[in-house]
Amino acid sequence: MPAALVVVALLGAWEAVARAGLVDELILPAPTSVARALVEDRELLLGDLWVTAAEAVLGLAAAVAAGAAIAVAMHLWAPVRRALYPLVVGSQAVPMVVLAAPLILILGFGLAPKVVVVALICFFPVCVNLFDGLRAVDPDQRKLLRALHATRWQTLRLLEAPAALPQLFTGLRIAAAVSVIGAVFAEWSGSERGLGRVVLTSMSQIESARTFAATVLLFVLAIALYGAFALAERRLLRWAPRPD
């Protein structure tokens, strides 16, 4: 309810500014104009929404697979950690916009380059959060398992992996939110479908209402992906302590 009230208040202020003529309609359309565009262009927008959602979900899945594998490898083997951790951190200094264009040229204008761009953006929060969670286990609990003659893999499976799940889900929620940004970046670099393409073409055609309508759908998609992981965390990690 508090979030809904904030949204209603912002929309009301936005509508009042637009109706008062303080800003040109071509620059800032009224919320009612955006809502009209959502209805009138729903067939176009919904088709592109599914394309962007598929890119975000597939890229996120690839990031989870790669991030989890590298995080576990860095945790288990010190040479791997020393070799890869600086590269994982340094990867965040490379602008994805720079990589998107070469990926389009190499992989074409299909789904593959978009999935790769999304995976590259989502990889870091998943990998780092899981890695930190695996290393943050209570040392006394590790000593207890060693006293019981548990193997390294048993320690990982029975203690470290379950203890790291809360931090993993933190990384997943962050990655879910930014996956939509990655999909839009990839579509801007070259795409025939998707909400990112709709935003570009609508801006070039001075269709401000349609541009904002596509942006609203991107906002909703990001919230939905974030909420899906938040719900999964609540269902799967009932044992994890939560702040009030």
Side-chain angles (χ1 to χ4, degrees):
M1 284 303 296
L5 291 175
V6 170
V7 170
V8 170
L10 290 175
L11 290 176
W14 179 2
E15 184 76 23
V17 169
R19 293 299 179 186
L22 300 178
V23 182
D24 193 316
E25 177 77 9
L26 294 178
I27 299 175
L28 184 68
T32 49
S33 299
V34 177
R36 192 180 308 114
L38 281 169
V39 174
E40 294 175 353
D41 300 327
R42 61 185 179 276
E43 293 185 4
L44 168 69
L45 292 172
L46 288 178
D48 287 308
L49 172 62
W50 286 116
V51 172
T52 302
E55 295 166 354
V57 171
L58 291 175
L60 185 57
V64 171
I70 292 177
V72 171
M74 291 193 302
H75 173 65
L76 293 178
W77 297 292
V80 175
R81 179 170 64 252
R82 289 193 293 269
L84 293 185
Y85 194 76
L87 299 179
V88 171
V89 175
S91 67
Q92 297 308 290
V94 180
M96 287 300 110
V97 178
V98 174
L99 293 178
L103 287 172
I104 293 291
L105 293 175
I106 295 171
L107 300 176
F109 288 86
L111 181 63
K114 283 78 170 178
V115 172
V116 172
V117 170
V118 174
L120 290 173
I121 289 179
C122 297
F123 166 79
F124 183 78
V126 173
C127 181
V128 171
N129 276 277
L130 177 57
F131 177 67
D132 289 343
L134 291 170
R135 292 174 61 84
V137 174
D138 187 350
D140 290 336
Q141 294 178 332
R142 284 199 180 99
K143 291 178 182 177
L144 175 60
L145 285 182
R146 281 200 298 267
L148 296 173
H149 304 289
T151 65
R152 188 68 187 86
W153 286 105
Q154 287 175 324
T155 302
L156 175 66
R157 181 171 58 87
L158 298 175
L159 173 63
E160 294 169 342
L165 285 177
Q167 283 193 251
L168 172 61
F169 270 99
T170 298
L172 289 174
R173 293 198 308 271
I174 297 172
V178 301
S179 64
V180 178
I181 299 174
V184 171
F185 279 163
E187 290 168 359
W188 283 356
S189 299
S191 178
E192 297 178 355
R193 296 293 305 276
L195 290 177
R197 184 196 62 85
V198 172
V199 170
L200 276 184
T201 56
S202 299
M203 290 175 63
S204 65
Q205 297 169 358
I206 320 180
E207 291 283 353
S208 301
R210 186 186 298 165
T211 301
F212 276 83
T215 304
V216 168
L217 292 180
L218 289 170
F219 175 83
V220 172
L221 177 59
I223 294 296
L225 291 174
Y226 181 96
F229 281 107
L231 179 61
E233 181 181 11
R234 287 182 176 274
R235 295 291 178 86
L236 298 175
L237 304 185
R238 296 179 184 274
W239 49 266
R242 300 181 183 277
D244 295 333

